[in-house]
Amino acid sequence: MNNLFVISGPSGVGKSTLIDYIIKTIPQAKLSISCTTRTPRYYEHEGKEYYFVMEHQFREMIQNGEFIEYTYCFGNYYGTLKKEIDNILNNSGICILDVEFAGAASILNKYKNNNETKCTSILLMPPSMIELKNRLIERGSENEQAINCRLAAFNSEELAYYEPIYDYIITNNNLKTTKEVILNIFNKSLGSNYK
Ligand code: ADP
Ligand code: 5GP
């Protein structure tokens, strides 16, 4: 049995931090690296967090049917590569996706009748909007305008609409505690699949 973990949450909530922790703790777990037209952040590297491409390349990839899903978000394209997921599932069997709500819904829908792949979806929530803003400011990767745009994108209507697709809704307050909670979720889902 393969395992697909879909993780979502507002920008700055701690998705990458927690995914990094899981990947270091469960070596078989691999991140499905998405393509994006966004500029790399100061700490990001090609092929680690994302494959960074130009917009015309992204459009070409859409035409070639390379994405299982893609979205336009915060002024950039982001897309999940079919071959990335397939390679991970065929090789290590534990794939993690960091995708926004619509992407999560689309992926979960595509895999819902796949008897070989078990999906687990996790929504990470911030303790408060003030704390979320502080985390984005602390990260120092976006200017004030971009931070405000990311905060505004996290709205209660969309949240209420998509909440039901998630198996787990976790508030990332204390990082150490959240790491334990997330690791427990992974271990529970993996069960005896993980050797
Ligand atoms: P995302 O991937 O969801 O956009 P990041 O993982 O980049 O978020 O985290 C945003 C910032 O918040 C980073 O600077 C990270 O170190 C910090 N962070 C993550 N989790 C916590 C936490 N529980 N408490 C305080 N800071 C956190
Ligand atoms: P960031 O710019 O902070 O790295 O990502 C912005 C948003 O895009 C986040 O909510 C992240 O989960 C989402 N995202 C990243 N890659 C993909 C993808 O391939 N597909 C979709 N639908 N969302 C993605």
Side-chain angles (χ1 to χ4, degrees):
M1 173 72 88
N2 286 325
N3 281 269
L4 199 63
F5 291 88
V6 175
I7 301 186
S8 305
S11 185
V13 73
K15 299 180 295 298
S16 306
T17 307
L18 288 156
I19 290 170
D20 272 356
Y21 165 73
I22 289 296
I23 287 170
K24 284 187 183 117
T25 314
I26 304 176
Q28 255 179 272
K30 308 280 178 206
L31 173 68
S32 162
I33 299 164
S34 292
C35 266
T36 184
T37 58
R38 166 164 84 56
T39 310
R41 294 181 182 136
Y42 62 90
Y43 56 84
E44 291 179 329
H45 297 99
E46 169 65 21
K48 183 174 180 283
E49 290 82 5
Y50 285 107
Y51 300 115
F52 296 96
V53 299
M54 306 295 286
E55 199 165 313
H56 72 271
Q57 291 174 296
F58 198 101
R59 286 180 195 282
E60 225 173 272
M61 294 170 86
I62 297 174
Q63 293 303 320
N64 295 339
E66 293 184 47
F67 297 115
I68 188 166
E69 64 76 39
Y70 67 92
T71 189
Y72 190 76
C73 177
F74 311 136
N76 285 294
Y77 283 103
Y78 296 83
T80 306
L81 293 160
K82 284 181 191 158
K83 72 164 188 274
E84 187 79 10
I85 297 194
D86 289 346
N87 282 345
I88 296 173
L89 291 182
N90 290 333
N91 291 315
S92 77
I94 308 176
C95 181
I96 307 177
L97 292 147
D98 172 344
V99 287
E100 47 67 71
F101 292 147
S106 167
I107 302 265
L108 292 170
N109 192 40
K110 289 207 165 85
Y111 279 87
K112 74 173 177 217
N113 293 323
N114 183 323
N115 295 329
E116 284 164 25
T117 307
K118 178 177 176 179
C119 291
T120 305
S121 51
I122 305 170
L123 170 61
L124 287 171
M125 292 287 289
S128 68
M129 289 306 282
I130 292 173
E131 172 63 14
L132 186 62
K133 185 169 187 175
N134 284 342
R135 287 183 194 174
L136 285 168
I137 293 169
E138 281 276 303
R139 188 170 71 187
S141 52
E142 277 83 24
N143 63 26
E144 197 183 341
Q145 195 190 352
I147 288 179
N148 288 334
C149 163
R150 281 168 181 260
L151 290 171
F154 182 52
N155 64 77
S156 49
E157 293 83 46
E158 216 191 6
L159 179 64
Y161 182 78
Y162 283 107
E163 246 177 3
I165 73 169
Y166 293 93
D167 298 319
Y168 298 93
I169 300 176
I170 309 294
T171 300
N172 179 22
N173 193 355
N174 176 281
L175 185 55
K176 187 169 173 282
T177 309
T178 312
K179 283 179 176 173
E180 286 168 11
V181 171
I182 298 277
L183 186 59
N184 279 337
I185 292 173
F186 269 71
N187 284 329
K188 188 167 174 237
S189 286
L190 293 172
S192 55
N193 289 328
Y194 177 53
K195 294 174 223 67

mmCIF file of all heavy atoms in Angstrom, residues 11 15-16 19 31-41 43-53 58 71 73-74 76-81 84 97-100 139 142 150:
data_model
loop_
_atom_site.group_PDB
_atom_site.id
_atom_site.type_symbol
_atom_site.label_atom_id
_atom_site.label_comp_id
_atom_site.label_asym_id
_atom_site.label_seq_id
_atom_site.Cartn_x
_atom_site.Cartn_y
_atom_site.Cartn_z
ATOM 1 N N SER A 11 -0.194 30.541 4.384
ATOM 2 C CA SER A 11 1.220 30.876 4.241
ATOM 3 C C SER A 11 1.783 31.305 5.589
ATOM 4 O O SER A 11 1.191 32.142 6.272
ATOM 5 C CB SER A 11 1.332 32.014 3.228
ATOM 6 O OG SER A 11 2.672 32.290 2.977
ATOM 7 N N LYS A 15 4.090 24.840 7.401
ATOM 8 C CA LYS A 15 4.023 23.621 6.580
ATOM 9 C C LYS A 15 5.417 23.093 6.231
ATOM 10 O O LYS A 15 5.736 21.931 6.473
ATOM 11 C CB LYS A 15 3.244 23.881 5.264
ATOM 12 C CG LYS A 15 1.803 24.310 5.466
ATOM 13 C CD LYS A 15 1.096 24.555 4.150
ATOM 14 C CE LYS A 15 1.641 25.706 3.320
ATOM 15 N NZ LYS A 15 1.554 27.038 3.954
ATOM 16 N N SER A 16 6.254 23.967 5.645
ATOM 17 C CA SER A 16 7.595 23.530 5.219
ATOM 18 C C SER A 16 8.425 23.059 6.402
ATOM 19 O O SER A 16 9.136 22.054 6.317
ATOM 20 C CB SER A 16 8.346 24.663 4.514
ATOM 21 O OG SER A 16 7.577 25.148 3.469
ATOM 22 N N ILE A 19 7.144 19.638 7.380
ATOM 23 C CA ILE A 19 7.447 18.636 6.344
ATOM 24 C C ILE A 19 8.936 18.285 6.399
ATOM 25 O O ILE A 19 9.319 17.120 6.316
ATOM 26 C CB ILE A 19 7.007 19.142 4.947
ATOM 27 C CG1 ILE A 19 5.475 19.181 4.869
ATOM 28 C CG2 ILE A 19 7.587 18.252 3.829
ATOM 29 C CD1 ILE A 19 4.904 19.872 3.653
ATOM 30 N N LEU A 31 9.015 14.576 -0.305
ATOM 31 C CA LEU A 31 8.143 15.677 -0.726
ATOM 32 C C LEU A 31 7.986 15.642 -2.237
ATOM 33 O O LEU A 31 8.973 15.514 -2.974
ATOM 34 C CB LEU A 31 8.770 17.017 -0.312
ATOM 35 C CG LEU A 31 8.069 18.279 -0.825
ATOM 36 C CD1 LEU A 31 6.699 18.444 -0.171
ATOM 37 C CD2 LEU A 31 8.924 19.520 -0.552
ATOM 38 N N SER A 32 6.752 15.747 -2.694
ATOM 39 C CA SER A 32 6.517 15.921 -4.129
ATOM 40 C C SER A 32 6.877 17.378 -4.434
ATOM 41 O O SER A 32 6.194 18.300 -3.983
ATOM 42 C CB SER A 32 5.048 15.651 -4.453
ATOM 43 O OG SER A 32 4.738 16.207 -5.708
ATOM 44 N N ILE A 33 7.966 17.565 -5.169
ATOM 45 C CA ILE A 33 8.450 18.924 -5.439
ATOM 46 C C ILE A 33 7.636 19.510 -6.590
ATOM 47 O O ILE A 33 7.596 18.949 -7.687
ATOM 48 C CB ILE A 33 9.960 18.898 -5.738
ATOM 49 C CG1 ILE A 33 10.702 18.341 -4.523
ATOM 50 C CG2 ILE A 33 10.476 20.293 -6.094
ATOM 51 C CD1 ILE A 33 12.116 17.913 -4.791
ATOM 52 N N SER A 34 6.962 20.606 -6.287
ATOM 53 C CA SER A 34 6.105 21.257 -7.285
ATOM 54 C C SER A 34 6.927 22.174 -8.175
ATOM 55 O O SER A 34 8.052 22.542 -7.846
ATOM 56 C CB SER A 34 5.047 22.090 -6.572
ATOM 57 O OG SER A 34 4.133 21.272 -5.899
ATOM 58 N N CYS A 35 6.314 22.558 -9.277
ATOM 59 C CA CYS A 35 6.890 23.603 -10.135
ATOM 60 C C CYS A 35 6.248 24.924 -9.760
ATOM 61 O O CYS A 35 5.047 24.959 -9.446
ATOM 62 C CB CYS A 35 6.497 23.345 -11.587
ATOM 63 S SG CYS A 35 7.696 22.438 -12.484
ATOM 64 N N THR A 36 7.017 25.979 -9.807
ATOM 65 C CA THR A 36 6.425 27.301 -9.583
ATOM 66 C C THR A 36 7.118 28.355 -10.438
ATOM 67 O O THR A 36 8.292 28.198 -10.788
ATOM 68 C CB THR A 36 6.481 27.719 -8.094
ATOM 69 O OG1 THR A 36 5.799 28.981 -7.943
ATOM 70 C CG2 THR A 36 7.897 27.876 -7.582
ATOM 71 N N THR A 37 6.368 29.403 -10.714
ATOM 72 C CA THR A 37 6.950 30.550 -11.422
ATOM 73 C C THR A 37 7.421 31.610 -10.417
ATOM 74 O O THR A 37 7.926 32.652 -10.817
ATOM 75 C CB THR A 37 5.922 31.172 -12.394
ATOM 76 O OG1 THR A 37 4.760 31.559 -11.650
ATOM 77 C CG2 THR A 37 5.523 30.191 -13.486
ATOM 78 N N ARG A 38 7.226 31.336 -9.122
ATOM 79 C CA ARG A 38 7.665 32.275 -8.095
ATOM 80 C C ARG A 38 9.197 32.349 -8.045
ATOM 81 O O ARG A 38 9.883 31.379 -8.331
ATOM 82 C CB ARG A 38 7.090 31.831 -6.740
ATOM 83 C CG ARG A 38 7.706 32.490 -5.553
ATOM 84 C CD ARG A 38 6.921 32.347 -4.281
ATOM 85 N NE ARG A 38 7.089 31.144 -3.495
ATOM 86 C CZ ARG A 38 8.239 30.678 -3.021
ATOM 87 N NH1 ARG A 38 9.390 31.270 -3.341
ATOM 88 N NH2 ARG A 38 8.261 29.590 -2.275
ATOM 89 N N THR A 39 9.711 33.511 -7.628
ATOM 90 C CA THR A 39 11.158 33.684 -7.441
ATOM 91 C C THR A 39 11.588 32.900 -6.198
ATOM 92 O O THR A 39 10.885 32.936 -5.183
ATOM 93 C CB THR A 39 11.463 35.185 -7.200
ATOM 94 O OG1 THR A 39 10.814 35.919 -8.222
ATOM 95 C CG2 THR A 39 12.937 35.476 -7.238
ATOM 96 N N PRO A 40 12.744 32.210 -6.236
ATOM 97 C CA PRO A 40 13.188 31.485 -5.038
ATOM 98 C C PRO A 40 13.418 32.423 -3.857
ATOM 99 O O PRO A 40 13.886 33.542 -4.041
ATOM 100 C CB PRO A 40 14.521 30.855 -5.469
ATOM 101 C CG PRO A 40 14.555 30.922 -6.946
ATOM 102 C CD PRO A 40 13.658 32.046 -7.372
ATOM 103 N N ARG A 41 13.100 31.977 -2.647
ATOM 104 C CA ARG A 41 13.424 32.734 -1.433
ATOM 105 C C ARG A 41 14.913 32.561 -1.143
ATOM 106 O O ARG A 41 15.538 31.636 -1.653
ATOM 107 C CB ARG A 41 12.612 32.216 -0.245
ATOM 108 C CG ARG A 41 11.139 32.476 -0.425
ATOM 109 C CD ARG A 41 10.327 31.979 0.753
ATOM 110 N NE ARG A 41 8.914 32.231 0.475
ATOM 111 C CZ ARG A 41 7.944 31.358 0.709
ATOM 112 N NH1 ARG A 41 8.207 30.184 1.254
ATOM 113 N NH2 ARG A 41 6.692 31.664 0.423
ATOM 114 N N TYR A 43 16.533 31.241 1.094
ATOM 115 C CA TYR A 43 16.990 29.947 1.628
ATOM 116 C C TYR A 43 16.581 28.768 0.742
ATOM 117 O O TYR A 43 16.834 27.617 1.100
ATOM 118 C CB TYR A 43 16.447 29.754 3.051
ATOM 119 C CG TYR A 43 14.925 29.852 3.147
ATOM 120 C CD1 TYR A 43 14.122 28.751 2.886
ATOM 121 C CD2 TYR A 43 14.302 31.062 3.476
ATOM 122 C CE1 TYR A 43 12.738 28.842 2.969
ATOM 123 C CE2 TYR A 43 12.924 31.163 3.558
ATOM 124 C CZ TYR A 43 12.148 30.047 3.308
ATOM 125 O OH TYR A 43 10.787 30.142 3.379
ATOM 126 N N GLU A 44 15.939 29.038 -0.384
ATOM 127 C CA GLU A 44 15.448 27.942 -1.223
ATOM 128 C C GLU A 44 16.436 27.571 -2.329
ATOM 129 O O GLU A 44 17.179 28.438 -2.804
ATOM 130 C CB GLU A 44 14.096 28.328 -1.852
ATOM 131 C CG GLU A 44 12.977 28.410 -0.842
ATOM 132 C CD GLU A 44 11.642 28.823 -1.435
ATOM 133 O OE1 GLU A 44 11.613 29.592 -2.425
ATOM 134 O OE2 GLU A 44 10.611 28.413 -0.886
ATOM 135 N N HIS A 45 16.401 26.304 -2.710
ATOM 136 C CA HIS A 45 17.287 25.818 -3.770
ATOM 137 C C HIS A 45 16.488 25.073 -4.826
ATOM 138 O O HIS A 45 15.540 24.358 -4.494
ATOM 139 C CB HIS A 45 18.350 24.869 -3.197
ATOM 140 C CG HIS A 45 19.252 25.550 -2.226
ATOM 141 N ND1 HIS A 45 19.074 25.457 -0.866
ATOM 142 C CD2 HIS A 45 20.310 26.360 -2.431
ATOM 143 C CE1 HIS A 45 19.989 26.186 -0.259
ATOM 144 N NE2 HIS A 45 20.755 26.748 -1.184
ATOM 145 N N GLU A 46 16.921 25.249 -6.073
ATOM 146 C CA GLU A 46 16.297 24.546 -7.192
ATOM 147 C C GLU A 46 16.242 23.040 -6.918
ATOM 148 O O GLU A 46 17.268 22.439 -6.557
ATOM 149 C CB GLU A 46 17.122 24.832 -8.464
ATOM 150 C CG GLU A 46 16.783 23.978 -9.669
ATOM 151 C CD GLU A 46 15.374 24.205 -10.212
ATOM 152 O OE1 GLU A 46 14.783 25.272 -9.950
ATOM 153 O OE2 GLU A 46 14.869 23.306 -10.910
ATOM 154 N N GLY A 47 15.047 22.466 -7.044
ATOM 155 C CA GLY A 47 14.919 21.015 -6.889
ATOM 156 C C GLY A 47 14.828 20.559 -5.441
ATOM 157 O O GLY A 47 14.713 19.364 -5.187
ATOM 158 N N LYS A 48 14.887 21.493 -4.483
ATOM 159 C CA LYS A 48 14.692 21.075 -3.084
ATOM 160 C C LYS A 48 13.272 21.455 -2.641
ATOM 161 O O LYS A 48 12.458 20.601 -2.366
ATOM 162 C CB LYS A 48 15.745 21.696 -2.150
ATOM 163 C CG LYS A 48 15.580 21.199 -0.724
ATOM 164 C CD LYS A 48 16.678 21.656 0.216
ATOM 165 C CE LYS A 48 16.444 21.122 1.635
ATOM 166 N NZ LYS A 48 15.406 21.859 2.356
ATOM 167 N N GLU A 49 12.987 22.752 -2.621
ATOM 168 C CA GLU A 49 11.628 23.187 -2.265
ATOM 169 C C GLU A 49 10.712 23.154 -3.490
ATOM 170 O O GLU A 49 9.550 22.783 -3.403
ATOM 171 C CB GLU A 49 11.643 24.603 -1.681
ATOM 172 C CG GLU A 49 12.268 24.716 -0.305
ATOM 173 C CD GLU A 49 13.785 24.791 -0.341
ATOM 174 O OE1 GLU A 49 14.356 24.845 -1.457
ATOM 175 O OE2 GLU A 49 14.404 24.782 0.742
ATOM 176 N N TYR A 50 11.252 23.613 -4.616
ATOM 177 C CA TYR A 50 10.486 23.707 -5.870
ATOM 178 C C TYR A 50 11.411 23.511 -7.062
ATOM 179 O O TYR A 50 12.637 23.659 -6.946
ATOM 180 C CB TYR A 50 9.891 25.124 -6.027
ATOM 181 C CG TYR A 50 8.707 25.441 -5.152
ATOM 182 C CD1 TYR A 50 8.845 26.303 -4.060
ATOM 183 C CD2 TYR A 50 7.445 24.920 -5.426
ATOM 184 C CE1 TYR A 50 7.747 26.624 -3.250
ATOM 185 C CE2 TYR A 50 6.350 25.242 -4.624
ATOM 186 C CZ TYR A 50 6.509 26.086 -3.546
ATOM 187 O OH TYR A 50 5.417 26.398 -2.770
ATOM 188 N N TYR A 51 10.786 23.274 -8.226
ATOM 189 C CA TYR A 51 11.465 23.470 -9.508
ATOM 190 C C TYR A 51 11.009 24.857 -9.969
ATOM 191 O O TYR A 51 9.812 25.086 -10.163
ATOM 192 C CB TYR A 51 11.050 22.413 -10.524
ATOM 193 C CG TYR A 51 11.367 20.996 -10.086
ATOM 194 C CD1 TYR A 51 10.345 20.080 -9.832
ATOM 195 C CD2 TYR A 51 12.687 20.579 -9.922
ATOM 196 C CE1 TYR A 51 10.631 18.787 -9.418
ATOM 197 C CE2 TYR A 51 12.974 19.278 -9.505
ATOM 198 C CZ TYR A 51 11.942 18.396 -9.257
ATOM 199 O OH TYR A 51 12.231 17.117 -8.843
ATOM 200 N N PHE A 52 11.944 25.775 -10.077
ATOM 201 C CA PHE A 52 11.602 27.158 -10.434
ATOM 202 C C PHE A 52 11.673 27.314 -11.952
ATOM 203 O O PHE A 52 12.730 27.055 -12.553
ATOM 204 C CB PHE A 52 12.558 28.127 -9.742
ATOM 205 C CG PHE A 52 12.444 28.078 -8.236
ATOM 206 C CD1 PHE A 52 13.306 27.292 -7.474
ATOM 207 C CD2 PHE A 52 11.453 28.794 -7.572
ATOM 208 C CE1 PHE A 52 13.194 27.224 -6.085
ATOM 209 C CE2 PHE A 52 11.331 28.730 -6.180
ATOM 210 C CZ PHE A 52 12.207 27.943 -5.437
ATOM 211 N N VAL A 53 10.554 27.687 -12.551
ATOM 212 C CA VAL A 53 10.506 27.809 -14.016
ATOM 213 C C VAL A 53 9.943 29.173 -14.414
ATOM 214 O O VAL A 53 9.323 29.870 -13.604
ATOM 215 C CB VAL A 53 9.646 26.682 -14.662
ATOM 216 C CG1 VAL A 53 10.215 25.302 -14.360
ATOM 217 C CG2 VAL A 53 8.189 26.766 -14.208
ATOM 218 N N PHE A 58 6.101 27.103 -17.782
ATOM 219 C CA PHE A 58 4.980 26.533 -17.023
ATOM 220 C C PHE A 58 3.793 26.309 -17.964
ATOM 221 O O PHE A 58 3.158 25.251 -17.946
ATOM 222 C CB PHE A 58 4.599 27.456 -15.858
ATOM 223 C CG PHE A 58 3.772 26.773 -14.795
ATOM 224 C CD1 PHE A 58 4.360 26.329 -13.614
ATOM 225 C CD2 PHE A 58 2.414 26.570 -14.980
ATOM 226 C CE1 PHE A 58 3.594 25.692 -12.635
ATOM 227 C CE2 PHE A 58 1.641 25.936 -14.014
ATOM 228 C CZ PHE A 58 2.228 25.489 -12.834
ATOM 229 N N THR A 71 -2.364 25.617 -9.991
ATOM 230 C CA THR A 71 -3.163 26.759 -9.559
ATOM 231 C C THR A 71 -2.393 28.050 -9.811
ATOM 232 O O THR A 71 -1.171 28.023 -10.021
ATOM 233 C CB THR A 71 -3.511 26.621 -8.049
ATOM 234 O OG1 THR A 71 -4.455 27.621 -7.689
ATOM 235 C CG2 THR A 71 -2.281 26.802 -7.168
ATOM 236 N N CYS A 73 -1.710 31.422 -7.746
ATOM 237 C CA CYS A 73 -1.877 31.826 -6.342
ATOM 238 C C CYS A 73 -0.840 32.897 -6.015
ATOM 239 O O CYS A 73 0.342 32.736 -6.358
ATOM 240 C CB CYS A 73 -1.662 30.544 -5.544
ATOM 241 S SG CYS A 73 -1.690 30.589 -3.798
ATOM 242 N N PHE A 74 -1.241 33.970 -5.387
ATOM 243 C CA PHE A 74 -0.338 35.078 -5.022
ATOM 244 C C PHE A 74 0.481 35.562 -6.215
ATOM 245 O O PHE A 74 1.688 35.855 -6.097
ATOM 246 C CB PHE A 74 0.632 34.678 -3.897
ATOM 247 C CG PHE A 74 0.002 34.022 -2.699
ATOM 248 C CD1 PHE A 74 0.570 32.897 -2.119
ATOM 249 C CD2 PHE A 74 -1.165 34.540 -2.137
ATOM 250 C CE1 PHE A 74 -0.009 32.297 -1.012
ATOM 251 C CE2 PHE A 74 -1.753 33.932 -1.033
ATOM 252 C CZ PHE A 74 -1.170 32.815 -0.475
ATOM 253 N N ASN A 76 1.464 33.884 -8.872
ATOM 254 C CA ASN A 76 2.352 32.908 -9.518
ATOM 255 C C ASN A 76 1.637 31.588 -9.741
ATOM 256 O O ASN A 76 0.650 31.288 -9.083
ATOM 257 C CB ASN A 76 3.582 32.657 -8.636
ATOM 258 C CG ASN A 76 4.555 33.812 -8.710
ATOM 259 O OD1 ASN A 76 5.142 34.084 -9.745
ATOM 260 N ND2 ASN A 76 4.684 34.522 -7.599
ATOM 261 N N TYR A 77 2.195 30.817 -10.684
ATOM 262 C CA TYR A 77 1.678 29.466 -10.917
ATOM 263 C C TYR A 77 2.393 28.481 -10.007
ATOM 264 O O TYR A 77 3.599 28.617 -9.741
ATOM 265 C CB TYR A 77 1.935 29.035 -12.363
ATOM 266 C CG TYR A 77 1.008 29.654 -13.360
ATOM 267 C CD1 TYR A 77 1.416 30.711 -14.165
ATOM 268 C CD2 TYR A 77 -0.287 29.159 -13.527
ATOM 269 C CE1 TYR A 77 0.556 31.278 -15.091
ATOM 270 C CE2 TYR A 77 -1.153 29.724 -14.453
ATOM 271 C CZ TYR A 77 -0.720 30.779 -15.228
ATOM 272 O OH TYR A 77 -1.568 31.325 -16.141
ATOM 273 N N TYR A 78 1.633 27.472 -9.569
ATOM 274 C CA TYR A 78 2.182 26.358 -8.788
ATOM 275 C C TYR A 78 1.540 25.091 -9.341
ATOM 276 O O TYR A 78 0.324 25.058 -9.541
ATOM 277 C CB TYR A 78 1.782 26.459 -7.318
ATOM 278 C CG TYR A 78 2.323 27.661 -6.580
ATOM 279 C CD1 TYR A 78 1.676 28.891 -6.653
ATOM 280 C CD2 TYR A 78 3.456 27.563 -5.780
ATOM 281 C CE1 TYR A 78 2.160 29.997 -5.959
ATOM 282 C CE2 TYR A 78 3.944 28.656 -5.072
ATOM 283 C CZ TYR A 78 3.292 29.869 -5.174
ATOM 284 O OH TYR A 78 3.764 30.963 -4.479
ATOM 285 N N GLY A 79 2.321 24.035 -9.552
ATOM 286 C CA GLY A 79 1.720 22.818 -10.093
ATOM 287 C C GLY A 79 2.385 21.547 -9.596
ATOM 288 O O GLY A 79 3.599 21.492 -9.400
ATOM 289 N N THR A 80 1.548 20.531 -9.408
ATOM 290 C CA THR A 80 2.036 19.219 -8.976
ATOM 291 C C THR A 80 2.310 18.366 -10.210
ATOM 292 O O THR A 80 1.417 18.153 -11.035
ATOM 293 C CB THR A 80 0.969 18.511 -8.104
ATOM 294 O OG1 THR A 80 0.601 19.381 -7.036
ATOM 295 C CG2 THR A 80 1.493 17.203 -7.553
ATOM 296 N N LEU A 81 3.536 17.883 -10.300
ATOM 297 C CA LEU A 81 3.933 17.082 -11.463
ATOM 298 C C LEU A 81 3.479 15.629 -11.302
ATOM 299 O O LEU A 81 3.761 15.008 -10.274
ATOM 300 C CB LEU A 81 5.453 17.111 -11.613
ATOM 301 C CG LEU A 81 6.059 18.464 -11.980
ATOM 302 C CD1 LEU A 81 7.537 18.507 -11.622
ATOM 303 C CD2 LEU A 81 5.846 18.726 -13.471
ATOM 304 N N GLU A 84 6.386 13.296 -10.689
ATOM 305 C CA GLU A 84 6.970 13.419 -9.353
ATOM 306 C C GLU A 84 6.236 12.477 -8.372
ATOM 307 O O GLU A 84 6.859 11.688 -7.678
ATOM 308 C CB GLU A 84 6.833 14.889 -8.909
ATOM 309 C CG GLU A 84 7.523 15.246 -7.636
ATOM 310 C CD GLU A 84 9.029 15.478 -7.755
ATOM 311 O OE1 GLU A 84 9.559 15.550 -8.870
ATOM 312 O OE2 GLU A 84 9.662 15.548 -6.693
ATOM 313 N N LEU A 97 2.546 16.047 -0.053
ATOM 314 C CA LEU A 97 2.227 17.190 -0.918
ATOM 315 C C LEU A 97 1.925 18.411 -0.064
ATOM 316 O O LEU A 97 1.190 18.302 0.927
ATOM 317 C CB LEU A 97 0.985 16.882 -1.753
ATOM 318 C CG LEU A 97 1.174 15.792 -2.791
ATOM 319 C CD1 LEU A 97 -0.104 15.024 -2.977
ATOM 320 C CD2 LEU A 97 1.605 16.402 -4.099
ATOM 321 N N ASP A 98 2.496 19.542 -0.436
ATOM 322 C CA ASP A 98 2.211 20.824 0.227
ATOM 323 C C ASP A 98 1.437 21.646 -0.799
ATOM 324 O O ASP A 98 2.024 22.217 -1.713
ATOM 325 C CB ASP A 98 3.563 21.470 0.599
ATOM 326 C CG ASP A 98 3.436 22.894 1.129
ATOM 327 O OD1 ASP A 98 2.378 23.531 0.961
ATOM 328 O OD2 ASP A 98 4.431 23.378 1.708
ATOM 329 N N VAL A 99 0.110 21.643 -0.664
ATOM 330 C CA VAL A 99 -0.739 22.296 -1.673
ATOM 331 C C VAL A 99 -1.858 23.102 -1.017
ATOM 332 O O VAL A 99 -2.280 22.783 0.102
ATOM 333 C CB VAL A 99 -1.365 21.267 -2.645
ATOM 334 C CG1 VAL A 99 -0.340 20.718 -3.617
ATOM 335 C CG2 VAL A 99 -2.032 20.129 -1.906
ATOM 336 N N GLU A 100 -2.317 24.138 -1.734
ATOM 337 C CA GLU A 100 -3.414 24.941 -1.173
ATOM 338 C C GLU A 100 -4.730 24.157 -1.303
ATOM 339 O O GLU A 100 -4.762 23.063 -1.865
ATOM 340 C CB GLU A 100 -3.457 26.360 -1.775
ATOM 341 C CG GLU A 100 -3.346 26.458 -3.266
ATOM 342 C CD GLU A 100 -4.499 25.901 -4.018
ATOM 343 O OE1 GLU A 100 -5.562 26.527 -3.981
ATOM 344 O OE2 GLU A 100 -4.339 24.857 -4.683
ATOM 345 N N ARG A 139 10.092 35.320 9.106
ATOM 346 C CA ARG A 139 10.710 34.559 8.007
ATOM 347 C C ARG A 139 11.463 35.495 7.080
ATOM 348 O O ARG A 139 12.479 35.132 6.505
ATOM 349 C CB ARG A 139 9.644 33.748 7.261
ATOM 350 C CG ARG A 139 10.239 32.798 6.240
ATOM 351 C CD ARG A 139 9.199 31.838 5.693
ATOM 352 N NE ARG A 139 8.240 32.521 4.811
ATOM 353 C CZ ARG A 139 7.157 31.948 4.303
ATOM 354 N NH1 ARG A 139 6.875 30.689 4.587
ATOM 355 N NH2 ARG A 139 6.347 32.629 3.517
ATOM 356 N N GLU A 142 9.075 37.841 2.405
ATOM 357 C CA GLU A 142 8.130 38.641 1.622
ATOM 358 C C GLU A 142 8.094 40.065 2.181
ATOM 359 O O GLU A 142 8.323 40.263 3.386
ATOM 360 C CB GLU A 142 6.707 38.048 1.710
ATOM 361 C CG GLU A 142 6.415 36.908 0.742
ATOM 362 C CD GLU A 142 6.886 35.559 1.245
ATOM 363 O OE1 GLU A 142 7.012 35.392 2.477
ATOM 364 O OE2 GLU A 142 7.158 34.680 0.401
ATOM 365 N N ARG A 150 -0.955 37.571 1.423
ATOM 366 C CA ARG A 150 -1.011 36.187 1.885
ATOM 367 C C ARG A 150 -1.986 36.049 3.074
ATOM 368 O O ARG A 150 -2.724 35.064 3.159
ATOM 369 C CB ARG A 150 0.392 35.692 2.256
ATOM 370 C CG ARG A 150 1.188 35.308 1.014
ATOM 371 C CD ARG A 150 2.651 35.075 1.232
ATOM 372 N NE ARG A 150 3.286 34.733 -0.036
ATOM 373 C CZ ARG A 150 3.597 33.503 -0.421
ATOM 374 N NH1 ARG A 150 3.386 32.493 0.381
ATOM 375 N NH2 ARG A 150 4.129 33.290 -1.606
#
